[in-house]
Amino acid sequence: MKRIRIWMKSIVAAAAVCGASPLLAAGPPAQLVSMQDVDTRFAAMQAELAALRSRLDDGGAAVVPAPAHGAYPMAAGCGTCSSDCCEESGGCVFGFELVIVKPHFDHGVDIQALSAADGGPDFRQTENDWDYHASPRFWIGYVNAEGLGARFRYWQYDHEAETLTFPTDDPTDELQTRDASLELHVIDIEAMQSVNWCQIDANFSGGLRYASVDLRRRRVDAENGLTTIDYRLSHNDFEGVGLTGALELRRPIGCSGLALVGAGRGSLLYGETKLFAYNDDNGNAVRQAMVEDDDVVYVLEGQLGVEFGRDMNNGMRVALRAMAEGQLWGGAVFDGNLFAGGFPTPGPFNTERNTADNNLGFFGATIGVTVER
């Protein structure tokens, strides 16, 4: 060991002399390096080598900017797969999803009354049957080499519930029909930052959200199933703007292209709810009412599933996703109706909302594709 140490000192000294020799002819004579200087430089090299070994022993894990793969960049930390796609460069991100969800309501969306056998009113809660419905959602944006970017997101949901038709015990109301429809429009404009920690890819985003919720309900009573003798319509419309924020995670499974993916989002919307009711009692009485309230609606969203992605020769990365999805829209729709007297004989209209806000929920699956360049 002592012999190796002496050889290395000799090599360093010789290198110092050789490095200075080309300058001898062009300038003043170069000074020779002393053995003490060689020892100092050798000690510094040993310290640097020890520091590098220590970092390697610790695993070298660090949080680094995403190498330009949008919302779900390739992992750039420890244990990643070697690929040319990990070179740092900016690019566009695009995604399209089919959101296949079914709406749910806290307390139903309608009240019906059938006459009891003794002639008195027999009220019972009922709800139109809402099936699973596929709706489009897409986003487009740009991410630079440091993982910083922006995107535009849009979701539209437009669905009609199954119509309810049933006979009644009231001799004047032979057939009663009820239907309902629900329509949402959601727009997000947000900034985002993608980062990598070891093998977990994370995307943080935040910005502004616009949303509208439109719920319509209709009841028609027809004598002998033909002549309309009572027509009622209620319309619930919320429209608001607020803040939104999200966290998206991706954990690759080896180098197979498979990954576990998940996302969570929260939003606060500030806007106005408009309630409208209309009643035409076979021409005997036509009444309508309008109520407007300032409202705050909160929205919670979650996704969890799997992804399979491949890197293309042209620099693009294409991935397919399948996820379960749930949403909660707190206070987004009105629970009840604007008729104080109930059914079948309506009383006077209320000038204020006589029941609490109703929560709207969605649950189902999402199937989509993402393209990152």
Side-chain angles (χ1 to χ4, degrees):
M1 185 69 183
K2 182 177 180 180
R3 182 175 300 176
I4 295 176
R5 183 183 181 92
I6 294 174
W7 287 351
M8 292 187 65
K9 289 182 179 180
S10 302
I11 293 172
V12 172
V17 173
C18 293
S21 59
L23 301 177
L24 293 178
Q31 295 181 355
L32 296 178
V33 179
S34 66
M35 291 302 297
Q36 183 177 0
D37 291 337
V38 173
D39 287 337
T40 302
R41 295 183 184 182
F42 185 73
M45 293 172 60
Q46 284 185 315
E48 183 178 356
L49 181 59
L52 291 174
R53 287 177 176 173
S54 178
R55 290 182 59 184
L56 291 175
D57 292 340
D58 292 340
V63 175
V64 297
H69 274 286
Y72 291 100
M74 293 294 292
C78 58
T80 60
C81 304
S82 176
S83 174
D84 294 338
C85 69
C86 294
E87 295 179 0
E88 297 187 3
S89 60
C92 295
V93 293
F94 172 79
F96 177 82
E97 294 176 331
L98 279 180
V99 184
I100 309 171
V101 292
K102 176 180 178 180
H104 298 265
F105 300 86
D106 270 355
H107 307 102
V109 296
D110 211 349
I111 299 291
Q112 79 176 41
L114 300 179
S115 298
D118 58 1
D122 180 18
F123 290 92
R124 73 180 185 184
Q125 185 99 4
T126 187
E127 181 177 344
N128 290 87
D129 187 13
W130 299 84
D131 296 324
Y132 287 92
H133 178 70
S135 57
R137 179 170 60 201
F138 74 90
W139 66 91
I140 185 171
Y142 180 84
V143 179
N144 66 12
E146 297 178 350
L148 180 63
R151 67 182 171 189
F152 172 88
R153 300 175 74 246
Y154 176 70
W155 178 45
Q156 178 188 15
Y157 183 87
D158 189 358
H159 183 36
E160 294 185 359
E162 182 179 348
T163 300
L164 289 176
T165 302
F166 49 86
T168 71
D169 293 336
D170 193 323
T172 62
D173 297 343
E174 295 293 339
L175 192 65
Q176 188 175 115
T177 302
R178 296 175 179 271
D179 53 33
S181 65
L182 177 64
E183 183 175 356
L184 282 82
H185 295 271
V186 182
I187 296 175
D188 296 327
I189 301 176
E190 55 190 2
M192 56 184 178
Q193 174 65 59
S194 298
V195 297
N196 307 110
W197 184 82
C198 198
Q199 292 190 11
I200 297 178
D201 307 325
N203 184 61
F204 299 88
S205 61
L208 298 177
R209 163 170 286 195
Y210 163 84
S212 65
V213 181
D214 188 357
L215 174 64
R216 298 184 181 224
R217 294 165 287 178
R218 187 183 66 161
R219 165 186 163 176
V220 179
D221 295 345
E223 185 176 7
N224 297 321
L226 298 175
T227 305
T228 300
I229 60 177
D230 192 8
Y231 179 85
R232 304 185 184 188
L233 173 68
S234 65
H235 181 197
N236 180 137
D237 179 29
F238 170 80
E239 188 175 24
V241 177
L243 302 176
T244 185
L247 170 62
E248 301 159 90
L249 300 175
R250 177 176 176 271
R251 173 57 165 89
I253 304 175
C255 299
S256 61
L258 291 174
L260 300 177
V261 291
R265 179 179 291 271
S267 305
L268 278 178
L269 303 176
Y270 305 86
E272 184 179 59
T273 296
K274 296 180 181 180
L275 306 173
F276 173 77
Y278 174 84
N279 177 214
D280 184 354
D281 187 10
N282 197 24
N284 297 324
V286 177
R287 292 167 289 180
Q288 60 184 9
M290 173 74 77
V291 176
E292 298 184 4
D293 275 350
D294 291 332
D295 265 340
V296 178
V297 171
Y298 64 90
V299 186
L300 301 177
E301 306 171 55
Q303 295 177 321
L304 185 63
V306 295
E307 173 190 282
F308 178 77
R310 282 299 185 203
D311 298 302
M312 305 300 172
N313 294 331
N314 57 2
M316 288 196 309
R317 182 175 186 274
V318 180
L320 301 176
R321 300 180 192 168
M323 297 178 289
E325 177 165 343
Q327 300 185 22
L328 173 63
W329 293 66
V333 295
F334 179 64
D335 179 20
N337 57 80
L338 295 179
F339 301 101
F343 298 136
T345 303
F349 283 101
N350 290 334
T351 57
E352 296 182 357
R353 298 164 69 170
N354 58 350
T355 53
D357 288 341
N358 192 4
N359 295 329
L360 167 64
F362 294 95
F363 184 77
T366 297
I367 302 174
V369 58
T370 64
V371 179
E372 303 163 2
R373 184 176 179 85

